[in-house]
Amino acid sequence: VEKYIVECISSVQSQTLNNIEIICVNDGSTDNSLVFLRDLARDDKRIKIINTLNGGRSSARNIGVEKARGKYIYFLDGDDFIIKDTLLTLYEECEKNELDIVYFDADSFCEKNDLKDTNIKNKLKFYDKYYHRTNDYSSIRSGEQLFIDLHTNDEYRASPCLQFIRSSFYHINNLNFYEKIIHEDNLFTLRGMLLAGRVKHLSKAFYRRRVHSNSTMTKPESI
């Protein structure tokens, strides 16, 4: 993700909630991602870099959570970014309502070069409104009830990047990601939602999801 990592981390550095730790797990990258991370960390003591052998996305997230000391946990993929008031808004929402998890939406986009690729253009059409829920889920309810409501309306989405999670809830329920599988987000999100006692959804696209040819969601699946 060397093409995107600076934009990604910069979007976290510029958050209006600045009392945060920024944990970057370098999962055995073979490009220049680590070089860019070190440059960013040199000027920002909130950035902590963890180097590991390549173990996959689940392993990387689990390692990051193990090192995290914050009251809340948030996952951000290295090729995406978040808008400026994301973390403060989610933090205040969780504090005010004593939530285990707050869910939210995303906007999808792709770069001009990728728009020349017919496959990516078609994928973008699919994802354009995919992460927008049109129904209202703003009242506090159990995670189980939210799952039923979302599933009934065909608006259940499994991305870990669209949820802000209380650390104590995460650890008590051992919500770690199952390792060495792809689409690990399906198991993780379902478990978390069914275990959560107090959740809600904010109808705002805090997340910017990049659709491109090297993404897990767009490349052809192998056996």
Side-chain angles (χ1 to χ4, degrees), residues 18-203:
N18 54 35
N19 184 21
I20 58 176
E21 53 182 0
I22 305 170
I23 299 173
C24 304
V25 182
N26 175 45
D27 187 39
S29 64
T30 55
D31 59 11
N32 289 310
S33 294
L34 181 58
V35 175
F36 294 133
L37 284 176
R38 284 173 172 161
D39 286 343
L40 292 167
R42 198 171 292 120
D43 298 320
D44 192 337
K45 300 306 179 185
R46 298 174 301 172
I47 296 177
K48 179 186 295 183
I49 301 171
I50 302 170
N51 291 304
T52 68
L53 297 175
N54 180 246
R57 192 172 297 188
S58 292
S59 171
R61 287 175 175 153
N62 289 341
I63 289 168
V65 169
E66 187 180 325
K67 300 295 184 182
R69 296 295 176 263
K71 190 173 183 179
Y72 296 93
I73 295 169
Y74 176 65
F75 300 102
L76 174 61
D77 286 348
D79 47 1
D80 300 329
F81 62 93
I82 49 178
I83 64 174
K84 196 166 189 176
D85 63 341
T86 298
L87 298 182
L88 180 61
T89 304
L90 300 176
Y91 171 79
E92 290 179 340
E93 196 67 45
C94 284
E95 287 288 285
K96 180 176 65 177
N97 296 301
E98 299 181 329
L99 302 176
D100 294 320
I101 308 174
V102 60
Y103 300 88
F104 50 95
D105 293 342
D107 284 331
S108 299
F109 72 99
C110 61
E111 296 168 329
K112 290 181 180 178
N113 290 340
D114 281 332
L115 284 171
K116 298 174 184 177
D117 186 325
T118 303
N119 178 51
I120 300 303
K121 284 170 67 176
N122 290 335
K123 287 288 185 180
L124 181 62
K125 288 177 184 177
F126 173 78
Y127 286 116
D128 188 35
K129 298 298 181 183
Y130 181 73
Y131 298 109
H132 282 255
R133 283 86 160 189
T134 58
N135 290 279
D136 182 13
Y137 310 103
S138 59
S139 63
I140 299 169
R141 62 196 84 187
S142 69
E144 183 176 2
Q145 187 59 55
L146 179 60
F147 172 74
I148 292 170
D149 296 339
L150 288 169
H151 191 271
T152 299
N153 296 324
D154 194 26
E155 292 188 322
Y156 172 73
R157 305 292 180 256
S159 173
C161 299
L162 303 183
Q163 44 195 293
F164 188 80
I165 308 170
R166 184 179 294 271
S167 297
S168 58
F169 167 77
Y170 189 105
H171 292 298
I172 287 169
N173 292 285
N174 191 27
L175 287 184
N176 279 351
F177 290 85
Y178 196 94
E179 298 191 13
K180 298 182 180 178
I181 60 172
I182 62 168
H183 303 300
E184 73 295 328
D185 46 354
N186 290 285
L187 176 60
F188 174 84
T189 299
L190 183 61
R191 286 186 63 231
M193 194 171 279
L194 295 184
L195 289 166
R198 291 175 63 84
V199 305
K200 69 180 296 187
H201 169 262
L202 297 182
S203 186

